[in-house]
Amino acid sequence: MKKDLHPEYRQTEIKCACGYVMNVGSTKSDITVEICSQCHPFFTGKQKLVDTAGRIERFRRKYEKFNQAKEGK
């Protein structure tokens, strides 16, 4: 068998933007996520609007151009 082939497996923390921290085993050192099971609408039953880097606004502008083109025909 080859030595030093596999990455090191260690205990690490996953940190969410909502502040929740969970300890898991992983080959990565620290993991940061935007949405976790504590704040995701599917698990909580509450709708929460998360706008990362203006994605929603970009989508609305794009969709508005589509509607204008559709009405012009």
Side-chain angles (χ1 to χ4, degrees), residues 14-22 31-44 46-52 55-56:
I14 297 178
K15 298 175 185 174
C16 180
C18 70
Y20 183 71
V21 177
M22 67 179 95
I31 303 170
T32 305
V33 294
E34 294 178 6
I35 297 177
C36 67
S37 61
Q38 299 296 315
C39 61
H40 194 279
F42 181 79
F43 298 108
T44 61
K46 299 175 185 175
Q47 183 64 28
K48 181 178 176 184
L49 187 62
V50 178
D51 185 14
T52 55
R55 290 182 184 181
I56 295 171

Side-chain angles (χ1 to χ4, degrees), residues 9 17 22 26 30 33 43 45 56 58-59 61 63 69-70 72:
Y9 189 77
M22 67 179 95
S26 177
D30 287 325
V33 294
F43 298 108
I56 295 171
R58 268 187 290 158
F59 174 77
R61 279 186 272 149
Y63 192 69
K70 189 176 179 182

